[in-house]
Amino acid sequence: MRPVPRRRLLAGLLLSPVLTTGCFASGGEASEEDAADGSRLRVALAFPPAENLSPYGADATLLSRLGVTEGLTELDANGSTAPALAQSWTRENDRTWLFTLREATFQDGTAVTPAAVAAALTHATEAKPVPAALAGVTLKAAEADGSRVRVTTGDADPALPLRLSSPGLAILSPKAYGSGESGGGGGGGGGKGRRPDPTGTATGPFELTKLSGTTAATLDRYDDYWGGRAQASGIDARFISDGTARTNALRTGQVDIAEAVPISQAAALDEGTRHETATTRTTSLLLNTKKGPFKDPALRSAARGAVDTSVFAKDVYEGYADPGAGVFGPAVTWAADKRVKPAGRAGAAEPDGTSVTVATYDNRPELPEVAQVLGQQLEKAGFRVELEVREYSRLESDALAGKFDAFVAARNTLLDTGDPVSVLASDYTCDGGYNLSLLCDQEVDGAVAEAEGLSDSAKRQQAVMDAEAAILGTDAVVPLVHQQIITGVRASVQGVVFDPYERTLIDTGTRR
């Protein structure tokens, strides 16, 4: 009997309905071989690889969305932890967990063993910068008895199984790290901080076989996938940062699936090919607190006061968003009832012509318009604004280095781990790996640390909102809108995953 594909955990409201057969890349009919063995999927993605498809940074989500990589756990449709490479887990004590592995193989044919898993997790802890899911976390992994892996954290981490679902903590074979041996208890070859190569070394239903720079990638079905043979024979992915070009590629039959369709292009798609998904993604203005004019809390306060969030939701996003309420929006269903009003904000200073550079990227086509409207609001308040717009892969390193005064970014707050505490640690603490505002505030660090140590769900959620209030009180971030995303899918395609966490797009049931 054929095993049930694991990604069917996201079934129901996340899967597209069964529709009719359509055209192929050549414009002709499906061949007999295609019909018997599954057709290839043609996908347009918004973000080109920024780090040669390293699984440790922004590229990790590209790999998970295409069905290449997976971790020990994953998120189910409700945002709870579900089995992936680990079929079960138990907590030995406050700092130690045991994960029992299922029988699976890497795409290079080697077995997924406790030693290989421990080595993969150890490499992740040594990556520079550290994966966002491990921000502020000390983690050690070692082979245990039988088919189990023991994972120990420096401090109690009640959310560890959720954390290990992060796309940035994908498990790859020893070959990916430049070592022919699994090693024991971590370590492995290849050297600290080395970027692993996911080509043919992951465990998902699709195997990366070729990466053509930042323009395209080729994936073939991995027939020995533990969760069942994928229905598509492979994926031809194109990286098209321009949203209009992505949409046109879908409309003209060049691709079957186009992610992140611009709102301005939504009306150009037939209703049956346009799919809206509420997400946990928030678009925010992040202010550089380390250097430049926004190092001054009073000027940050002035910038926050200049922003009218209702304009972005109504005019820029045309109703496909809600006005910014905090770091976490309406898709985090418990947040509103527990939200705390920020305290201790600085009084606003007069900008008096202060010059600021606001940067953003055009992979998400609404962001340049957001930045333009934002610039107008800031100038009305007395700032002088220079806008800088680039493609994301050419912008990220400069943003993390603090080369801009302000940065407009769209961030899925539950993407990295599914744990809201983790995104706060990654984005807003002194040691955070994705701290675009370069915030380093002892009160914020203390509030996040307190939330990290709580295992009771209700208390942890309230601590999250207390930490959110401390962050908002610094005016390092101004939430603008909480978004929906639009995915374009040709009528010939079924089984696309409309994931509110934006981790999965293609699974074993996606086909045309």
Side-chain angles (χ1 to χ4, degrees):
M1 182 177 177
R2 190 172 170 182
V4 177
R6 69 164 182 90
R7 286 191 171 90
R8 297 299 173 83
L9 290 165
L10 291 168
L13 75 152
L14 299 182
L15 297 182
S16 65
V18 177
L19 297 170
T20 57
T21 302
C23 300
F24 289 79
S26 64
E29 296 299 319
S31 67
E32 291 183 10
E33 181 181 354
D34 280 336
D37 203 38
S39 302
R40 296 183 66 83
L41 295 166
R42 302 162 303 165
V43 182
L45 300 175
F47 289 85
E51 300 172 327
N52 203 34
L53 285 184
S54 166
Y56 292 152
D59 293 354
T61 309
L62 292 176
L63 294 168
S64 70
R65 286 176 69 74
L66 291 171
V68 176
T69 55
E70 56 193 353
L72 289 180
T73 62
E74 67 173 7
L75 295 183
D76 67 14
N78 297 316
S80 299
T81 314
L85 289 176
Q87 60 184 355
S88 63
W89 50 90
T90 58
R91 192 175 189 181
E92 286 190 308
N93 54 54
D94 283 351
R95 299 190 302 112
T96 305
W97 298 73
L98 278 173
F99 292 84
T100 301
L101 303 181
R102 68 173 72 252
E103 187 175 337
T105 58
F106 292 107
Q107 293 161 351
D108 60 13
T110 60
V112 176
T113 65
V117 169
L121 290 175
T122 300
H123 278 290
T125 68
E126 296 169 348
K128 302 296 181 184
V130 69
L134 294 181
V137 176
T138 300
L139 182 149
K140 293 183 179 180
E143 179 181 7
D145 58 299
S147 58
R148 298 194 294 180
V149 177
R150 178 174 283 109
V151 181
T152 304
T153 54
D155 298 313
D157 188 1
L160 181 66
L162 203 61
R163 186 183 304 280
L164 293 178
S165 73
S166 169
L169 298 180
I171 304 300
L172 303 179
S173 77
K175 180 182 176 182
Y177 309 96
S179 170
E181 299 179 359
S182 300
K192 288 187 177 183
R194 182 186 185 278
R195 290 179 181 172
D197 182 1
T199 307
T201 61
T203 61
F206 294 99
E207 176 183 353
L208 176 67
T209 58
K210 181 181 179 181
L211 176 65
S212 301
T214 59
T215 61
T218 303
L219 300 86
D220 293 334
R221 178 172 54 210
Y222 178 51
D223 286 340
D224 293 328
Y225 177 56
W226 64 264
R229 189 169 180 261
Q231 296 188 37
S233 60
I235 301 171
D236 297 311
R238 294 168 58 189
F239 304 107
I240 306 175
S241 59
D242 182 81
T244 300
R246 276 197 310 279
T247 308
N248 286 338
L250 180 77
R251 293 176 59 210
T252 57
Q254 299 175 54
V255 299
D256 304 305
I257 304 166
E259 71 170 3
V261 171
I263 290 168
S264 62
Q265 298 292 314
L269 296 179
D270 293 337
E271 186 174 347
T273 63
R274 185 180 68 237
H275 301 265
E276 301 91 16
T277 307
T279 73
T280 54
R281 181 171 295 278
T282 297
T283 295
S284 300
L285 170 67
L286 296 135
L287 304 177
N288 187 339
T289 63
K290 188 175 182 179
K291 57 186 177 181
F294 290 128
K295 183 177 180 180
D296 182 354
L299 283 176
R300 297 201 299 269
S301 179
R304 171 183 50 82
V307 175
D308 179 358
T309 61
S310 65
V311 172
F312 300 102
K314 180 182 177 182
D315 296 338
V316 178
Y317 286 88
E318 299 180 15
Y320 289 98
D322 296 298
V327 175
F328 305 105
V332 184
T333 55
W334 48 264
D337 291 339
K338 299 178 183 293
R339 179 154 282 127
V340 177
K341 184 177 181 180
R345 280 172 160 160
E350 285 294 331
D352 197 25
T354 299
S355 295
V356 296
T357 300
V358 179
T360 194
Y361 44 98
D362 55 11
N363 306 73
R364 297 191 179 277
E366 291 77 28
L367 293 186
E369 186 177 354
V370 168
Q372 185 176 29
V373 173
L374 188 64
Q376 293 170 355
Q377 293 182 350
L378 292 174
E379 288 184 338
K380 185 176 180 180
F383 290 96
R384 293 173 58 192
V385 179
E386 179 180 349
L387 297 180
E388 184 157 349
V389 179
R390 303 182 203 162
E391 191 271 325
Y392 184 82
S393 64
R394 298 177 53 246
L395 193 70
E396 182 187 60
S397 60
D398 284 348
L400 289 169
K403 293 187 178 180
F404 309 115
D405 299 314
F407 192 73
V408 178
R411 175 80 154 127
N412 191 319
T413 55
L414 297 186
L415 175 64
D416 293 322
T417 66
D419 174 27
V421 181
S422 297
V423 76
L424 298 185
S426 168
D427 292 15
Y428 301 107
T429 65
C430 296
D431 295 327
Y434 197 66
N435 189 345
L436 291 168
S437 62
L438 303 178
L439 179 64
C440 188
D441 182 278
Q442 295 305 310
E443 182 181 347
V444 168
D445 279 21
V448 173
E450 182 175 348
E452 286 175 327
L454 296 173
S455 57
D456 178 82
S457 178
K459 291 181 179 179
R460 189 177 177 89
Q461 289 173 357
Q462 187 57 65
V464 165
M465 301 315 293
D466 291 342
E468 182 199 64
I471 292 164
L472 294 177
T474 68
D475 285 328
V477 56
V478 183
L480 302 176
V481 291
H482 306 292
Q483 294 178 235
Q484 296 178 18
I485 56 170
I486 303 172
T487 306
V489 181
R490 295 190 71 203
S492 57
V493 177
Q494 59 184 1
V496 174
V497 182
F498 303 116
D499 180 6
Y501 311 108
E502 300 184 80
R503 296 179 173 197
T504 307
L505 181 67
I506 308 295
D507 78 348
T508 54
T510 312
R511 64 188 183 279
R512 69 182 179 99

Short mmCIF file of all heavy atoms in Angstrom, two decimals, residues 134-173:
data_model
loop_
_atom_site.label_atom_id
_atom_site.label_comp_id
_atom_site.label_asym_id
_atom_site.label_seq_id
_atom_site.Cartn_x
_atom_site.Cartn_y
_atom_site.Cartn_z
N LEU A 134 17.66 29.79 15.40
CA LEU A 134 18.58 29.53 16.51
C LEU A 134 19.09 30.81 17.15
O LEU A 134 20.02 30.75 17.97
CB LEU A 134 19.77 28.70 16.01
CG LEU A 134 19.44 27.27 15.54
CD1 LEU A 134 20.71 26.56 15.11
CD2 LEU A 134 18.75 26.49 16.66
N ALA A 135 18.51 31.93 16.80
CA ALA A 135 18.95 33.20 17.40
C ALA A 135 18.80 33.14 18.92
O ALA A 135 17.73 32.87 19.45
CB ALA A 135 18.12 34.35 16.84
N GLY A 136 19.89 33.36 19.63
CA GLY A 136 19.86 33.35 21.08
C GLY A 136 19.75 31.97 21.71
O GLY A 136 19.53 31.87 22.91
N VAL A 137 19.90 30.93 20.90
CA VAL A 137 19.72 29.56 21.39
C VAL A 137 21.04 28.80 21.30
O VAL A 137 21.71 28.82 20.26
CB VAL A 137 18.64 28.80 20.58
CG1 VAL A 137 18.53 27.35 21.03
CG2 VAL A 137 17.30 29.51 20.72
N THR A 138 21.42 28.14 22.39
CA THR A 138 22.55 27.22 22.37
C THR A 138 22.00 25.81 22.25
O THR A 138 21.20 25.38 23.08
CB THR A 138 23.38 27.34 23.66
OG1 THR A 138 23.86 28.68 23.78
CG2 THR A 138 24.56 26.37 23.63
N LEU A 139 22.43 25.10 21.20
CA LEU A 139 21.86 23.79 20.90
C LEU A 139 22.97 22.81 20.59
O LEU A 139 23.92 23.13 19.87
CB LEU A 139 20.89 23.91 19.72
CG LEU A 139 20.13 22.67 19.25
CD1 LEU A 139 18.77 23.06 18.69
CD2 LEU A 139 20.93 21.95 18.14
N LYS A 140 22.85 21.59 21.15
CA LYS A 140 23.77 20.51 20.85
C LYS A 140 22.96 19.27 20.48
O LYS A 140 21.96 18.97 21.12
CB LYS A 140 24.67 20.21 22.05
CG LYS A 140 25.65 21.33 22.39
CD LYS A 140 26.56 20.95 23.54
CE LYS A 140 27.55 22.08 23.85
NZ LYS A 140 28.45 21.72 24.97
N ALA A 141 23.40 18.58 19.44
CA ALA A 141 22.72 17.37 18.99
C ALA A 141 23.71 16.22 18.98
O ALA A 141 24.87 16.39 18.60
CB ALA A 141 22.13 17.57 17.60
N ALA A 142 23.24 15.04 19.39
CA ALA A 142 24.11 13.87 19.44
C ALA A 142 23.31 12.61 19.14
O ALA A 142 22.11 12.54 19.41
CB ALA A 142 24.78 13.76 20.81
N GLU A 143 23.98 11.63 18.59
CA GLU A 143 23.37 10.34 18.34
C GLU A 143 23.02 9.68 19.66
O GLU A 143 23.82 9.66 20.60
CB GLU A 143 24.34 9.48 17.54
CG GLU A 143 23.85 8.09 17.23
CD GLU A 143 24.87 7.27 16.47
OE1 GLU A 143 26.02 7.76 16.31
OE2 GLU A 143 24.53 6.15 16.04
N ALA A 144 21.81 9.15 19.76
CA ALA A 144 21.39 8.41 20.96
C ALA A 144 21.23 6.93 20.57
O ALA A 144 21.67 6.51 19.50
CB ALA A 144 20.09 8.99 21.51
N ASP A 145 20.59 6.17 21.41
CA ASP A 145 20.42 4.75 21.13
C ASP A 145 19.38 4.54 20.04
O ASP A 145 18.48 5.34 19.84
CB ASP A 145 19.99 4.01 22.41
CG ASP A 145 18.70 4.57 22.97
OD1 ASP A 145 18.69 5.76 23.33
OD2 ASP A 145 17.69 3.83 23.03
N GLY A 146 19.50 3.40 19.34
CA GLY A 146 18.52 3.04 18.32
C GLY A 146 18.45 4.08 17.22
O GLY A 146 19.45 4.50 16.67
N SER A 147 17.25 4.51 16.91
CA SER A 147 17.04 5.48 15.83
C SER A 147 16.73 6.86 16.40
O SER A 147 15.98 7.62 15.80
CB SER A 147 15.88 5.01 14.93
OG SER A 147 14.70 4.86 15.71
N ARG A 148 17.33 7.19 17.51
CA ARG A 148 16.98 8.44 18.19
C ARG A 148 18.15 9.43 18.20
O ARG A 148 19.33 9.06 18.18
CB ARG A 148 16.53 8.16 19.61
CG ARG A 148 15.26 7.30 19.66
CD ARG A 148 14.60 7.31 21.02
NE ARG A 148 15.43 6.67 22.04
CZ ARG A 148 15.07 6.55 23.32
NH1 ARG A 148 13.89 7.04 23.72
NH2 ARG A 148 15.86 5.96 24.18
N VAL A 149 17.77 10.71 18.23
CA VAL A 149 18.71 11.81 18.33
C VAL A 149 18.39 12.59 19.59
O VAL A 149 17.22 12.90 19.87
CB VAL A 149 18.60 12.75 17.10
CG1 VAL A 149 19.53 13.95 17.25
CG2 VAL A 149 18.90 12.00 15.82
N ARG A 150 19.43 12.89 20.37
CA ARG A 150 19.23 13.68 21.59
C ARG A 150 19.63 15.13 21.29
O ARG A 150 20.74 15.40 20.83
CB ARG A 150 20.07 13.11 22.73
CG ARG A 150 19.95 13.92 24.03
CD ARG A 150 20.68 13.25 25.18
NE ARG A 150 19.90 12.12 25.70
CZ ARG A 150 20.22 10.84 25.54
NH1 ARG A 150 21.31 10.52 24.85
NH2 ARG A 150 19.46 9.90 26.06
N VAL A 151 18.71 16.05 21.55
CA VAL A 151 18.96 17.48 21.34
C VAL A 151 18.89 18.18 22.69
O VAL A 151 17.88 18.08 23.40
CB VAL A 151 17.95 18.09 20.36
CG1 VAL A 151 18.26 19.57 20.14
CG2 VAL A 151 17.98 17.35 19.03
N THR A 152 19.96 18.90 23.03
CA THR A 152 20.06 19.58 24.32
C THR A 152 20.25 21.07 24.09
O THR A 152 21.04 21.47 23.22
CB THR A 152 21.24 19.03 25.13
OG1 THR A 152 21.09 17.62 25.29
CG2 THR A 152 21.31 19.68 26.51
N THR A 153 19.54 21.88 24.84
CA THR A 153 19.66 23.33 24.73
C THR A 153 20.31 23.89 25.98
O THR A 153 20.22 23.30 27.07
CB THR A 153 18.29 23.98 24.53
OG1 THR A 153 17.39 23.56 25.57
CG2 THR A 153 17.70 23.57 23.18
N GLY A 154 20.98 25.04 25.83
CA GLY A 154 21.65 25.65 26.97
C GLY A 154 20.68 26.07 28.06
O GLY A 154 20.97 25.94 29.25
N ASP A 155 19.54 26.58 27.67
CA ASP A 155 18.47 26.94 28.60
C ASP A 155 17.23 26.14 28.25
O ASP A 155 17.13 25.57 27.15
CB ASP A 155 18.16 28.44 28.50
CG ASP A 155 19.35 29.31 28.87
OD1 ASP A 155 19.98 29.03 29.91
OD2 ASP A 155 19.66 30.24 28.11
N ALA A 156 16.30 26.09 29.16
CA ALA A 156 15.04 25.39 28.87
C ALA A 156 14.39 26.01 27.64
O ALA A 156 14.31 27.23 27.51
CB ALA A 156 14.11 25.50 30.08
N ASP A 157 13.95 25.16 26.72
CA ASP A 157 13.33 25.63 25.48
C ASP A 157 12.06 24.83 25.22
O ASP A 157 12.07 23.84 24.51
CB ASP A 157 14.30 25.48 24.31
CG ASP A 157 13.77 26.13 23.03
OD1 ASP A 157 12.67 26.72 23.07
OD2 ASP A 157 14.46 26.06 22.00
N PRO A 158 10.95 25.27 25.80
CA PRO A 158 9.69 24.53 25.64
C PRO A 158 9.23 24.42 24.20
O PRO A 158 8.45 23.52 23.87
CB PRO A 158 8.70 25.35 26.47
CG PRO A 158 9.53 26.17 27.39
CD PRO A 158 10.79 26.45 26.64
N ALA A 159 9.69 25.31 23.34
CA ALA A 159 9.23 25.33 21.94
C ALA A 159 10.20 24.64 21.00
O ALA A 159 10.10 24.81 19.78
CB ALA A 159 9.01 26.77 21.49
N LEU A 160 11.11 23.81 21.52
CA LEU A 160 12.13 23.21 20.65
C LEU A 160 11.53 22.42 19.48
O LEU A 160 11.99 22.58 18.34
CB LEU A 160 13.08 22.34 21.45
CG LEU A 160 14.19 21.70 20.62
CD1 LEU A 160 15.14 22.76 20.07
CD2 LEU A 160 14.96 20.67 21.43
N PRO A 161 10.54 21.54 19.68
CA PRO A 161 10.00 20.82 18.51
C PRO A 161 9.44 21.76 17.45
O PRO A 161 9.59 21.51 16.25
CB PRO A 161 8.89 19.95 19.13
CG PRO A 161 9.33 19.74 20.53
CD PRO A 161 9.95 21.05 20.93
N LEU A 162 8.84 22.88 17.88
CA LEU A 162 8.35 23.87 16.93
C LEU A 162 9.52 24.55 16.22
O LEU A 162 9.50 24.77 15.01
CB LEU A 162 7.52 24.90 17.69
CG LEU A 162 6.48 25.73 16.94
CD1 LEU A 162 5.42 24.82 16.32
CD2 LEU A 162 5.83 26.73 17.88
N ARG A 163 10.56 24.85 16.96
CA ARG A 163 11.75 25.50 16.41
C ARG A 163 12.40 24.64 15.32
O ARG A 163 12.86 25.14 14.30
CB ARG A 163 12.75 25.75 17.54
CG ARG A 163 13.97 26.55 17.14
CD ARG A 163 14.94 26.69 18.32
NE ARG A 163 14.32 27.26 19.48
CZ ARG A 163 14.09 28.55 19.67
NH1 ARG A 163 14.46 29.41 18.73
NH2 ARG A 163 13.52 29.00 20.77
N LEU A 164 12.42 23.32 15.55
CA LEU A 164 13.08 22.43 14.60
C LEU A 164 12.29 22.24 13.31
O LEU A 164 12.75 21.57 12.39
CB LEU A 164 13.35 21.08 15.26
CG LEU A 164 14.38 21.11 16.40
CD1 LEU A 164 14.54 19.74 17.02
CD2 LEU A 164 15.73 21.62 15.90
N SER A 165 11.11 22.84 13.23
CA SER A 165 10.36 22.83 11.96
C SER A 165 10.85 23.89 10.99
O SER A 165 10.42 23.94 9.85
CB SER A 165 8.86 23.05 12.23
OG SER A 165 8.60 24.40 12.59
N SER A 166 11.76 24.75 11.43
CA SER A 166 12.21 25.87 10.61
C SER A 166 12.85 25.40 9.31
O SER A 166 13.66 24.48 9.29
CB SER A 166 13.25 26.69 11.40
OG SER A 166 13.89 27.62 10.55
N PRO A 167 12.52 26.07 8.18
CA PRO A 167 13.20 25.75 6.92
C PRO A 167 14.71 25.91 7.02
O PRO A 167 15.46 25.26 6.28
CB PRO A 167 12.60 26.76 5.94
CG PRO A 167 11.24 27.06 6.49
CD PRO A 167 11.42 27.05 7.98
N GLY A 168 15.18 26.76 7.93
CA GLY A 168 16.60 26.97 8.11
C GLY A 168 17.30 25.87 8.87
O GLY A 168 18.53 25.91 9.03
N LEU A 169 16.54 24.89 9.37
CA LEU A 169 17.13 23.77 10.08
C LEU A 169 16.86 22.47 9.34
O LEU A 169 16.64 21.41 9.94
CB LEU A 169 16.59 23.71 11.51
CG LEU A 169 16.92 24.93 12.38
CD1 LEU A 169 16.35 24.77 13.78
CD2 LEU A 169 18.43 25.16 12.44
N ALA A 170 16.88 22.54 8.02
CA ALA A 170 16.68 21.35 7.19
C ALA A 170 17.82 20.37 7.40
O ALA A 170 18.96 20.75 7.67
CB ALA A 170 16.60 21.75 5.72
N ILE A 171 17.49 19.09 7.26
CA ILE A 171 18.48 18.03 7.44
C ILE A 171 19.02 17.62 6.07
O ILE A 171 18.26 17.19 5.19
CB ILE A 171 17.86 16.82 8.15
CG1 ILE A 171 17.25 17.24 9.50
CG2 ILE A 171 18.89 15.72 8.33
CD1 ILE A 171 18.25 17.85 10.48
N LEU A 172 20.33 17.72 5.88
CA LEU A 172 21.00 17.32 4.65
C LEU A 172 21.99 16.19 4.94
O LEU A 172 22.42 16.01 6.08
CB LEU A 172 21.73 18.50 4.02
CG LEU A 172 20.90 19.75 3.70
CD1 LEU A 172 21.80 20.82 3.11
CD2 LEU A 172 19.76 19.42 2.74
N SER A 173 22.37 15.46 3.91
CA SER A 173 23.31 14.35 4.08
C SER A 173 24.72 14.88 4.33
O SER A 173 25.03 16.04 4.01
CB SER A 173 23.30 13.45 2.85
OG SER A 173 24.04 14.04 1.79
#
